[in-house]
Amino acid sequence: MRILILGGDGYLGWPTAMHFATRGHEVTVYDNYLRRRIALETDSEPLVSLLPLPERASRFEAETGKRIRVVLGDCCNLEQLLQTVRETAPEVIVHYAEQPSAPYSMADRGAARLTFENNLGATFNVIWAVLEAAPDCHIVKLGTMGEYGTPNIDIEEGWIDVQHKGRTQKFLYPRQAGSLYHTTKVLDTDLLWFYVRLYGLQVTDLMQGPVYGLSTPEMDLHPELATAFNYDDIFGTVVNRFITQAVAGVPLTVYGKGGQTRGYLNIKDTLQCIELAANSPPGAGQLRVLNQFTERFSVNQLAERVKGVGDKMGLSVEIRPVDNPRKEAEDHYYNPAHSGLLDLGLQPLFLTDDVMSAMLERVLQHREAIDQRKILPRVRWNS
Amino acid sequence: MRILILGGDGYLGWPTAMHFATRGHEVTVYDNYLRRRIALETDSEPLVSLLPLPERASRFEAETGKRIRVVLGDCCNLEQLLQTVRETAPEVIVHYAEQPSAPYSMADRGAARLTFENNLGATFNVIWAVLEAAPDCHIVKLGTMGEYGTPNIDIEEGWIDVQHKGRTQKFLYPRQAGSLYHTTKVLDTDLLWFYVRLYGLQVTDLMQGPVYGLSTPEMDLHPELATAFNYDDIFGTVVNRFITQAVAGVPLTVYGKGGQTRGYLNIKDTLQCIELAANSPPGAGQLRVLNQFTERFSVNQLAERVKGVGDKMGLSVEIRPVDNPRKEAEDHYYNPAHSGLLDLGLQPLFLTDDVMSAMLERVLQHREAIDQRKILPRVRWNS
């Protein structure tokens, strides 16, 4: 397949590119380094610094003989994106190209505007680039479980049949998110669903939970193939943060009561899910929604798990709740469906003690690089 | 009250400004003439050409002794909007400032982009101008009944209690619109609801049906106080179009089967509704949604009504269905609630024969100005 990966420099974008290229697909990555710029500006650099994309692609080719084409471009520049879509004639576009940090989106007006304009502008342009230059292309869009929020009823996979006064209507499952970042993904969904209905686009919306991990077969080939592993409050997801805090001897920062429950998955499972989605397009005029996670934990459970494994490794892990910087329910009902990807063949990797100790070992190799100033929450929106 | 009317040059904006100014409120209108520019570019000029806003305000002051302050500004320019909000310190902002044409939003990529960027950018900036410069201000936002589409269950007023597997959750009523214009209003709602939840904004979202009419007490004071009355396929709403077609001797253009049913209201009722909403703010942290229409008709019913009244006036009105340029259900369930504004005190004016004959009489005065090239649909998105 010809696959165009938008946001191909990201935590998931780069491993996705290597994953598909290894399997013989024609892969192009497209990125404008927005996340790198924000990381620099917010003092949120990843644990291991990254080579530029062309150098990473060269290293990948040296290790595997497989080529990843790199285009340094901005999804908000429609002409540039259109040209890339025309040149690559993709059968699949994986759309990761969004400002991905909830705290950053809540930092101030400028960060809100950047998030809003970038994320909506990118999705609008992806839609029009596909309509004009690759109308049969399957768009695999990264959504987030965070779009649903924490409703008091079961979360279904994207859709819900509403019974009301003796009649029934199927609707997109109502979404209400807890940050502007997550809200931009709600708006993305609305916009994609409109163009699916009106113009017959085919879209898979992957409602992903927080991802953890820093190992995939391709990343493990060479240190220069590592992805952006963030442990800071801006870009770091909670498992990655806790693992790094355990290594650094910093108490694990549970936000508030720690009852917040989410669905999590290993970065290797993200790659499986993207591949499964790409291999089975939904068909023209279809918006397929899949809830992408493998198991559920509360923040307290995660902290206890990391402490358990860390203590066994002699790390003496402490847990110290901090005032919740986020406006969110700390104790809530949470029962999301997630059978769609299992039905497509997903073989889940769970967050076992072995997986956690392997993460701890890997991060221990970079212990000196951990900057403790980046760990405590620097953005608050719960006031 | 100090009232800032964004989009104060529009079909509804200008009459709203005069309505509030007449009642002694301090009114500022803010507009960048975007609708005038699009009307020029698409050959969709209104029946009677309009003076610039400052001249209209001068004429209004000459007639009534009341002042309307005019600021020529763009809601997409946050600094300009912020400055106006700081200067006017509004207690109420009426937000009409959107590209309002469904057909225009579907014309091509450029029109789609303009609609998307203008409408979302304006709403984003209104939110931030209020957060930064007038946090207690009540935002009265013009939504549209078109956000709901035509679901197979009753349409409630903005919210719905969903019963699902023995549990219950109140959600924003799910929205799915039939044009990009209407979809931008869905996204507006998502965004406003997010900032209401997170930062305690107070917002009334008025889900308005198609408006008709060209007479209000203030407009009737002097011909130069008329509003933009469009009868073309781009900006003209269906009753206004049919009335004008009847006068011009052009068969009424029913789109498709004509079973499309909507809730309609007189422009005088729009003014009542806006005033009722402004007089009773919902309170901080509240998104109040009101369905703003007074009675329901199918397109066929409207055509028959206009024909009936027109024929009595000797106009020999014909009805001629044309291929539906829109992608929409032509025969559907439609039962929307609309008790909220009645509870606030709305006294509806219905579309009586007298109201229709008065409209026909008024348009007859401008019969020579009707340009028949503007009447048939020029934008199609049902293919």
Side-chain angles (χ1 to χ4, degrees):
Chain A
M1 287 189 290
R2 293 181 302 277
I3 301 176
L4 174 59
I5 298 174
L6 307 175
D9 188 52
Y11 174 56
L12 303 175
W14 174 245
T16 304
M18 292 193 293
H19 180 86
F20 279 121
T22 299
R23 279 150 187 78
H25 299 294
E26 268 180 57
V27 176
T28 300
V29 293
Y30 184 94
D31 205 295
N32 66 343
Y33 293 143
L34 174 65
R35 196 199 43 76
R36 292 193 190 213
R37 176 161 76 79
I38 296 172
L40 263 174
E41 290 172 1
T42 60
D43 197 11
S44 306
E45 291 278 271
L47 186 60
V48 181
S49 58
L50 306 175
L51 291 178
L53 270 176
E55 280 85 335
R56 285 208 280 183
S58 297
R59 167 58 60 197
F60 179 70
E61 192 168 350
E63 295 292 326
T64 64
K66 308 282 188 182
R67 191 161 168 263
I68 293 174
R69 185 170 165 254
V70 174
V71 178
L72 298 178
D74 184 353
C75 287
C76 289
N77 180 333
L78 178 56
E79 291 309 322
Q80 201 174 26
L81 179 63
L82 256 175
Q83 191 185 326
T84 300
V85 171
R86 288 206 182 95
E87 285 167 7
T88 57
E91 288 149 290
V92 178
I93 287 179
V94 182
H95 173 20
Y96 288 119
E98 307 223 332
Q99 188 298 99
S101 165
Y104 179 75
S105 75
M106 302 302 285
D108 57 33
R109 185 224 296 172
R113 171 189 281 274
L114 184 151
T115 303
F116 190 70
E117 289 184 352
N118 181 77
N119 293 7
L120 270 297
T123 297
F124 182 88
N125 284 347
V126 169
I127 289 166
W128 278 94
V130 167
L131 286 173
E132 298 200 355
D136 299 325
C137 177
H138 173 203
I139 300 172
V140 178
K141 165 68 166 59
L142 256 283
T144 156
M145 286 297 293
E147 292 182 47
Y148 297 122
T150 52
N152 197 37
I153 62 172
D154 286 8
I155 295 171
E156 305 299 338
E157 290 203 78
W159 305 91
I160 187 168
D161 285 313
V162 174
Q163 318 274 337
H164 187 58
K165 299 181 179 170
R167 303 178 64 91
T168 303
Q169 171 71 42
K170 180 179 175 183
F171 286 114
L172 259 191
Y173 192 99
R175 287 144 167 79
Q176 44 187 355
S179 80
L180 180 63
Y181 153 70
H182 292 95
T183 299
T184 61
K185 296 228 168 184
V186 175
L187 273 60
D188 283 341
T189 305
D190 288 336
L191 192 67
L192 284 162
W193 171 220
F194 169 71
Y195 279 108
V196 165
R197 291 198 308 281
L198 270 279
Y199 293 147
L201 284 184
Q202 64 175 320
V203 176
T204 298
D205 199 1
L206 296 172
M207 307 291 272
Q208 187 173 246
V211 182
Y212 58 84
L214 66 172
S215 165
T216 70
E218 294 79 22
M219 288 204 282
D220 295 347
L221 291 173
H222 191 284
E224 289 177 6
L225 298 180
T227 192
F229 181 84
N230 282 85
Y231 59 96
D232 55 270
D233 63 315
I234 302 290
F235 289 109
T237 53
V238 60
V239 180
N240 292 353
R241 283 193 278 120
F242 283 176
I243 292 283
T244 309
Q245 291 169 12
V247 167
V250 173
L252 309 189
T253 50
V254 167
Y255 292 170
K257 290 188 206 161
Q260 304 93 315
T261 300
R262 301 288 185 270
Y264 292 85
L265 77 166
N266 191 304
I267 191 169
K268 292 174 185 166
D269 283 351
T270 295
L271 305 188
Q272 270 196 78
C273 292
I274 299 281
E275 187 179 5
L276 290 167
N279 284 341
S280 65
Q286 297 297 314
L287 170 63
R288 173 177 59 181
V289 185
L290 299 165
N291 292 346
Q292 182 163 315
F293 66 93
T294 59
E295 54 191 332
R296 276 181 281 163
F297 300 104
S298 71
V299 172
N300 285 330
Q301 286 172 322
L302 286 175
E304 291 295 341
R305 296 286 311 280
V306 171
K307 177 175 168 50
V309 176
D311 284 350
K312 272 189 213 154
M313 292 171 64
L315 290 169
S316 305
V317 180
E318 270 186 82
I319 297 172
R320 192 177 300 162
V322 298
D323 274 354
N324 195 343
R326 305 183 176 208
K327 190 160 187 167
E328 62 185 3
E330 296 174 0
D331 190 10
H332 57 87
Y333 183 74
Y334 201 66
N335 191 30
H338 60 120
S339 60
L341 282 158
L342 295 169
D343 292 345
L344 289 178
L346 174 64
Q347 305 281 333
L349 287 167
F350 295 113
L351 184 64
T352 60
D353 288 3
D354 284 351
V355 165
M356 279 190 288
S357 62
M359 284 184 72
L360 288 162
E361 296 284 1
R362 183 73 70 98
V363 173
L364 272 164
Q365 296 166 15
H366 302 281
R367 188 177 204 159
E368 300 309 313
I370 300 171
D371 178 350
Q372 300 199 7
R373 292 172 309 140
K374 300 176 183 171
I375 287 175
L376 288 176
R378 293 171 288 181
V379 179
R380 312 191 67 81
W381 68 93
N382 188 15
S383 54
Chain B
M1 288 190 287
R2 293 181 301 277
I3 301 175
L4 174 59
I5 298 173
L6 307 175
D9 188 52
Y11 174 55
L12 303 174
W14 174 244
T16 304
M18 292 193 293
H19 180 85
F20 279 121
T22 299
R23 279 150 187 78
H25 300 294
E26 268 180 57
V27 176
T28 300
V29 293
Y30 185 94
D31 205 295
N32 67 342
Y33 294 143
L34 174 65
R35 195 199 44 75
R36 292 194 191 213
R37 176 161 74 79
I38 296 172
L40 263 174
E41 290 172 1
T42 60
D43 197 12
S44 307
E45 291 277 271
L47 186 60
V48 181
S49 59
L50 307 174
L51 289 179
L53 270 175
E55 279 84 335
R56 285 208 280 183
S58 296
R59 167 59 58 197
F60 179 70
E61 193 168 348
E63 295 292 325
T64 64
K66 306 284 187 181
R67 191 161 168 262
I68 293 174
R69 185 170 165 253
V70 174
V71 179
L72 298 177
D74 183 354
C75 287
C76 289
N77 180 333
L78 179 56
E79 291 311 320
Q80 201 175 27
L81 180 62
L82 256 174
Q83 190 184 326
T84 300
V85 171
R86 288 206 181 95
E87 284 167 7
T88 57
E91 289 149 290
V92 177
I93 288 179
V94 182
H95 174 20
Y96 288 118
E98 307 223 332
Q99 188 298 98
S101 165
Y104 179 75
S105 75
M106 302 302 285
D108 57 34
R109 185 223 297 171
R113 171 189 281 274
L114 184 152
T115 303
F116 190 70
E117 289 184 352
N118 181 77
N119 293 8
L120 270 297
T123 297
F124 182 88
N125 285 347
V126 169
I127 289 167
W128 277 94
V130 167
L131 287 174
E132 299 199 356
D136 299 325
C137 177
H138 173 201
I139 300 172
V140 177
K141 164 71 164 59
L142 256 281
T144 156
M145 286 297 293
E147 293 183 46
Y148 297 123
T150 53
N152 196 37
I153 62 172
D154 286 8
I155 295 171
E156 305 299 339
E157 290 204 77
W159 306 91
I160 186 168
D161 285 313
V162 174
Q163 319 274 337
H164 187 57
K165 299 181 180 171
R167 303 178 64 90
T168 303
Q169 171 71 44
K170 180 179 175 183
F171 286 114
L172 260 190
Y173 192 98
R175 286 144 167 80
Q176 44 186 357
S179 80
L180 180 64
Y181 154 69
H182 292 95
T183 299
T184 62
K185 296 229 168 184
V186 175
L187 273 59
D188 283 342
T189 305
D190 287 336
L191 192 68
L192 284 161
W193 171 219
F194 169 71
Y195 280 107
V196 165
R197 291 197 308 281
L198 270 279
Y199 293 146
L201 285 182
Q202 65 175 320
V203 176
T204 298
D205 199 2
L206 296 172
M207 308 291 273
Q208 188 173 246
V211 182
Y212 58 84
L214 65 171
S215 164
T216 70
E218 294 79 20
M219 288 204 281
D220 295 346
L221 290 173
H222 191 284
E224 288 177 5
L225 297 180
T227 193
F229 180 84
N230 283 84
Y231 59 95
D232 55 271
D233 63 315
I234 302 290
F235 290 110
T237 53
V238 60
V239 179
N240 291 353
R241 282 192 279 122
F242 282 177
I243 292 283
T244 309
Q245 291 169 12
V247 167
V250 172
L252 309 190
T253 50
V254 167
Y255 292 171
K257 290 188 207 160
Q260 304 92 317
T261 299
R262 302 287 185 270
Y264 292 85
L265 77 166
N266 192 304
I267 191 168
K268 292 174 185 165
D269 283 351
T270 294
L271 305 188
Q272 270 196 77
C273 292
I274 299 281
E275 187 179 4
L276 290 167
N279 283 341
S280 65
Q286 297 298 315
L287 171 63
R288 173 177 58 182
V289 185
L290 299 166
N291 292 347
Q292 182 165 316
F293 67 93
T294 58
E295 54 191 331
R296 277 182 279 165
F297 300 104
S298 70
V299 172
N300 284 329
Q301 286 172 322
L302 286 176
E304 292 295 341
R305 297 285 311 280
V306 171
K307 176 175 168 49
V309 177
D311 284 350
K312 271 190 214 153
M313 292 171 65
L315 290 169
S316 304
V317 180
E318 270 186 82
I319 298 173
R320 191 176 302 161
V322 298
D323 275 355
N324 195 343
R326 305 183 175 207
K327 189 160 187 167
E328 63 184 3
E330 296 174 0
D331 190 10
H332 57 87
Y333 183 74
Y334 200 65
N335 192 29
H338 60 121
S339 59
L341 283 157
L342 295 169
D343 291 346
L344 288 179
L346 174 64
Q347 306 281 333
L349 288 167
F350 296 113
L351 184 63
T352 59
D353 287 3
D354 284 351
V355 165
M356 280 190 288
S357 62
M359 285 184 72
L360 287 162
E361 296 285 1
R362 183 74 68 99
V363 174
L364 272 165
Q365 295 167 16
H366 303 280
R367 188 177 203 159
E368 301 308 313
I370 300 171
D371 178 351
Q372 300 199 7
R373 292 172 309 139
K374 300 176 183 171
I375 286 174
L376 288 175
R378 292 171 288 181
V379 179
R380 311 191 68 81
W381 67 93
N382 189 15
S383 55

PDB file of all heavy atoms in Angstrom, chain B residues 146-163:
ATOM      1  N   GLY B 146     -31.147  23.978  11.859  1.00  0.00           N
ATOM      2  CA  GLY B 146     -30.464  23.096  10.917  1.00  0.00           C
ATOM      3  C   GLY B 146     -29.361  22.267  11.550  1.00  0.00           C
ATOM      4  O   GLY B 146     -28.949  21.255  10.988  1.00  0.00           O
ATOM      5  N   GLU B 147     -28.866  22.673  12.726  1.00  0.00           N
ATOM      6  CA  GLU B 147     -27.853  21.854  13.408  1.00  0.00           C
ATOM      7  C   GLU B 147     -28.384  20.459  13.718  1.00  0.00           C
ATOM      8  O   GLU B 147     -27.643  19.488  13.712  1.00  0.00           O
ATOM      9  CB  GLU B 147     -27.405  22.518  14.711  1.00  0.00           C
ATOM     10  CG  GLU B 147     -26.633  23.804  14.517  1.00  0.00           C
ATOM     11  CD  GLU B 147     -26.153  24.382  15.852  1.00  0.00           C
ATOM     12  OE1 GLU B 147     -25.631  23.634  16.685  1.00  0.00           O
ATOM     13  OE2 GLU B 147     -26.331  25.606  16.057  1.00  0.00           O
ATOM     14  N   TYR B 148     -29.674  20.393  14.042  1.00  0.00           N
ATOM     15  CA  TYR B 148     -30.239  19.097  14.438  1.00  0.00           C
ATOM     16  C   TYR B 148     -30.430  18.162  13.252  1.00  0.00           C
ATOM     17  O   TYR B 148     -30.544  16.939  13.443  1.00  0.00           O
ATOM     18  CB  TYR B 148     -31.622  19.297  15.078  1.00  0.00           C
ATOM     19  CG  TYR B 148     -31.671  20.092  16.355  1.00  0.00           C
ATOM     20  CD1 TYR B 148     -32.464  21.235  16.457  1.00  0.00           C
ATOM     21  CD2 TYR B 148     -30.965  19.670  17.485  1.00  0.00           C
ATOM     22  CE1 TYR B 148     -32.557  21.948  17.649  1.00  0.00           C
ATOM     23  CE2 TYR B 148     -31.059  20.381  18.676  1.00  0.00           C
ATOM     24  CZ  TYR B 148     -31.858  21.528  18.751  1.00  0.00           C
ATOM     25  OH  TYR B 148     -31.960  22.224  19.921  1.00  0.00           O
ATOM     26  N   GLY B 149     -30.545  18.705  12.057  1.00  0.00           N
ATOM     27  CA  GLY B 149     -30.937  17.886  10.914  1.00  0.00           C
ATOM     28  C   GLY B 149     -32.364  17.402  11.083  1.00  0.00           C
ATOM     29  O   GLY B 149     -33.199  18.087  11.694  1.00  0.00           O
ATOM     30  N   THR B 150     -32.655  16.230  10.544  1.00  0.00           N
ATOM     31  CA  THR B 150     -34.017  15.690  10.610  1.00  0.00           C
ATOM     32  C   THR B 150     -33.985  14.274  11.180  1.00  0.00           C
ATOM     33  O   THR B 150     -34.188  13.298  10.457  1.00  0.00           O
ATOM     34  CB  THR B 150     -34.664  15.687   9.205  1.00  0.00           C
ATOM     35  OG1 THR B 150     -33.789  15.020   8.286  1.00  0.00           O
ATOM     36  CG2 THR B 150     -34.909  17.092   8.713  1.00  0.00           C
ATOM     37  N   PRO B 151     -33.705  14.165  12.489  1.00  0.00           N
ATOM     38  CA  PRO B 151     -33.664  12.836  13.103  1.00  0.00           C
ATOM     39  C   PRO B 151     -35.051  12.226  13.172  1.00  0.00           C
ATOM     40  O   PRO B 151     -36.059  12.940  13.059  1.00  0.00           O
ATOM     41  CB  PRO B 151     -33.119  13.122  14.501  1.00  0.00           C
ATOM     42  CG  PRO B 151     -33.535  14.521  14.793  1.00  0.00           C
ATOM     43  CD  PRO B 151     -33.486  15.240  13.469  1.00  0.00           C
ATOM     44  N   ASN B 152     -35.069  10.932  13.405  1.00  0.00           N
ATOM     45  CA  ASN B 152     -36.322  10.174  13.428  1.00  0.00           C
ATOM     46  C   ASN B 152     -36.986  10.178  14.809  1.00  0.00           C
ATOM     47  O   ASN B 152     -37.950   9.459  15.039  1.00  0.00           O
ATOM     48  CB  ASN B 152     -36.040   8.742  12.965  1.00  0.00           C
ATOM     49  CG  ASN B 152     -37.301   8.019  12.584  1.00  0.00           C
ATOM     50  OD1 ASN B 152     -38.215   8.626  12.012  1.00  0.00           O
ATOM     51  ND2 ASN B 152     -37.378   6.745  12.910  1.00  0.00           N
ATOM     52  N   ILE B 153     -36.438  10.961  15.736  1.00  0.00           N
ATOM     53  CA  ILE B 153     -37.046  11.122  17.058  1.00  0.00           C
ATOM     54  C   ILE B 153     -37.341  12.599  17.276  1.00  0.00           C
ATOM     55  O   ILE B 153     -36.867  13.445  16.515  1.00  0.00           O
ATOM     56  CB  ILE B 153     -36.127  10.602  18.197  1.00  0.00           C
ATOM     57  CG1 ILE B 153     -34.816  11.405  18.244  1.00  0.00           C
ATOM     58  CG2 ILE B 153     -35.845   9.108  18.031  1.00  0.00           C
ATOM     59  CD1 ILE B 153     -33.936  11.079  19.448  1.00  0.00           C
ATOM     60  N   ASP B 154     -38.129  12.890  18.301  1.00  0.00           N
ATOM     61  CA  ASP B 154     -38.437  14.289  18.601  1.00  0.00           C
ATOM     62  C   ASP B 154     -37.148  15.084  18.862  1.00  0.00           C
ATOM     63  O   ASP B 154     -36.231  14.596  19.523  1.00  0.00           O
ATOM     64  CB  ASP B 154     -39.320  14.384  19.857  1.00  0.00           C
ATOM     65  CG  ASP B 154     -40.760  13.965  19.586  1.00  0.00           C
ATOM     66  OD1 ASP B 154     -41.039  13.456  18.480  1.00  0.00           O
ATOM     67  OD2 ASP B 154     -41.593  14.141  20.487  1.00  0.00           O
ATOM     68  N   ILE B 155     -37.117  16.297  18.370  1.00  0.00           N
ATOM     69  CA  ILE B 155     -36.007  17.202  18.658  1.00  0.00           C
ATOM     70  C   ILE B 155     -36.359  17.974  19.927  1.00  0.00           C
ATOM     71  O   ILE B 155     -37.386  18.651  19.977  1.00  0.00           O
ATOM     72  CB  ILE B 155     -35.771  18.173  17.487  1.00  0.00           C
ATOM     73  CG1 ILE B 155     -35.319  17.394  16.234  1.00  0.00           C
ATOM     74  CG2 ILE B 155     -34.762  19.243  17.853  1.00  0.00           C
ATOM     75  CD1 ILE B 155     -35.270  18.235  14.970  1.00  0.00           C
ATOM     76  N   GLU B 156     -35.522  17.848  20.934  1.00  0.00           N
ATOM     77  CA  GLU B 156     -35.759  18.580  22.181  1.00  0.00           C
ATOM     78  C   GLU B 156     -35.015  19.916  22.136  1.00  0.00           C
ATOM     79  O   GLU B 156     -34.363  20.231  21.145  1.00  0.00           O
ATOM     80  CB  GLU B 156     -35.314  17.724  23.371  1.00  0.00           C
ATOM     81  CG  GLU B 156     -35.971  16.343  23.423  1.00  0.00           C
ATOM     82  CD  GLU B 156     -37.503  16.418  23.557  1.00  0.00           C
ATOM     83  OE1 GLU B 156     -38.014  17.455  23.994  1.00  0.00           O
ATOM     84  OE2 GLU B 156     -38.174  15.433  23.198  1.00  0.00           O
ATOM     85  N   GLU B 157     -35.103  20.692  23.199  1.00  0.00           N
ATOM     86  CA  GLU B 157     -34.456  22.011  23.171  1.00  0.00           C
ATOM     87  C   GLU B 157     -33.018  21.912  23.670  1.00  0.00           C
ATOM     88  O   GLU B 157     -32.713  22.190  24.826  1.00  0.00           O
ATOM     89  CB  GLU B 157     -35.259  23.042  23.962  1.00  0.00           C
ATOM     90  CG  GLU B 157     -36.549  23.365  23.233  1.00  0.00           C
ATOM     91  CD  GLU B 157     -37.147  24.712  23.566  1.00  0.00           C
ATOM     92  OE1 GLU B 157     -36.642  25.742  23.062  1.00  0.00           O
ATOM     93  OE2 GLU B 157     -38.118  24.727  24.318  1.00  0.00           O
ATOM     94  N   GLY B 158     -32.160  21.475  22.790  1.00  0.00           N
ATOM     95  CA  GLY B 158     -30.730  21.509  23.046  1.00  0.00           C
ATOM     96  C   GLY B 158     -30.174  20.310  23.766  1.00  0.00           C
ATOM     97  O   GLY B 158     -29.039  19.926  23.537  1.00  0.00           O
ATOM     98  N   TRP B 159     -30.946  19.710  24.656  1.00  0.00           N
ATOM     99  CA  TRP B 159     -30.457  18.644  25.530  1.00  0.00           C
ATOM    100  C   TRP B 159     -31.361  17.431  25.433  1.00  0.00           C
ATOM    101  O   TRP B 159     -32.531  17.553  25.116  1.00  0.00           O
ATOM    102  CB  TRP B 159     -30.427  19.132  26.986  1.00  0.00           C
ATOM    103  CG  TRP B 159     -29.655  20.388  27.132  1.00  0.00           C
ATOM    104  CD1 TRP B 159     -30.143  21.659  27.048  1.00  0.00           C
ATOM    105  CD2 TRP B 159     -28.242  20.517  27.321  1.00  0.00           C
ATOM    106  NE1 TRP B 159     -29.124  22.567  27.179  1.00  0.00           N
ATOM    107  CE2 TRP B 159     -27.950  21.896  27.348  1.00  0.00           C
ATOM    108  CE3 TRP B 159     -27.193  19.605  27.477  1.00  0.00           C
ATOM    109  CZ2 TRP B 159     -26.653  22.382  27.524  1.00  0.00           C
ATOM    110  CZ3 TRP B 159     -25.913  20.086  27.652  1.00  0.00           C
ATOM    111  CH2 TRP B 159     -25.642  21.457  27.675  1.00  0.00           C
ATOM    112  N   ILE B 160     -30.807  16.282  25.758  1.00  0.00           N
ATOM    113  CA  ILE B 160     -31.625  15.077  25.791  1.00  0.00           C
ATOM    114  C   ILE B 160     -31.113  14.150  26.886  1.00  0.00           C
ATOM    115  O   ILE B 160     -29.899  14.019  27.084  1.00  0.00           O
ATOM    116  CB  ILE B 160     -31.647  14.356  24.412  1.00  0.00           C
ATOM    117  CG1 ILE B 160     -32.639  13.174  24.420  1.00  0.00           C
ATOM    118  CG2 ILE B 160     -30.258  13.903  23.987  1.00  0.00           C
ATOM    119  CD1 ILE B 160     -32.924  12.612  23.034  1.00  0.00           C
ATOM    120  N   ASP B 161     -32.037  13.573  27.645  1.00  0.00           N
ATOM    121  CA  ASP B 161     -31.690  12.537  28.615  1.00  0.00           C
ATOM    122  C   ASP B 161     -31.674  11.209  27.890  1.00  0.00           C
ATOM    123  O   ASP B 161     -32.713  10.762  27.400  1.00  0.00           O
ATOM    124  CB  ASP B 161     -32.720  12.495  29.749  1.00  0.00           C
ATOM    125  CG  ASP B 161     -32.547  13.643  30.711  1.00  0.00           C
ATOM    126  OD1 ASP B 161     -31.405  13.916  31.123  1.00  0.00           O
ATOM    127  OD2 ASP B 161     -33.561  14.300  31.032  1.00  0.00           O
ATOM    128  N   VAL B 162     -30.506  10.605  27.799  1.00  0.00           N
ATOM    129  CA  VAL B 162     -30.396   9.320  27.113  1.00  0.00           C
ATOM    130  C   VAL B 162     -30.454   8.201  28.146  1.00  0.00           C
ATOM    131  O   VAL B 162     -29.668   8.173  29.096  1.00  0.00           O
ATOM    132  CB  VAL B 162     -29.091   9.234  26.293  1.00  0.00           C
ATOM    133  CG1 VAL B 162     -28.913   7.828  25.702  1.00  0.00           C
ATOM    134  CG2 VAL B 162     -29.098  10.277  25.184  1.00  0.00           C
ATOM    135  N   GLN B 163     -31.425   7.298  27.961  1.00  0.00           N
ATOM    136  CA  GLN B 163     -31.540   6.089  28.771  1.00  0.00           C
ATOM    137  C   GLN B 163     -30.800   5.005  28.018  1.00  0.00           C
ATOM    138  O   GLN B 163     -31.113   4.750  26.849  1.00  0.00           O
ATOM    139  CB  GLN B 163     -33.003   5.651  28.896  1.00  0.00           C
ATOM    140  CG  GLN B 163     -34.005   6.766  29.118  1.00  0.00           C
ATOM    141  CD  GLN B 163     -34.157   7.111  30.576  1.00  0.00           C
ATOM    142  OE1 GLN B 163     -33.873   6.276  31.436  1.00  0.00           O
ATOM    143  NE2 GLN B 163     -34.580   8.331  30.863  1.00  0.00           N
TER     144      GLN B 163
END
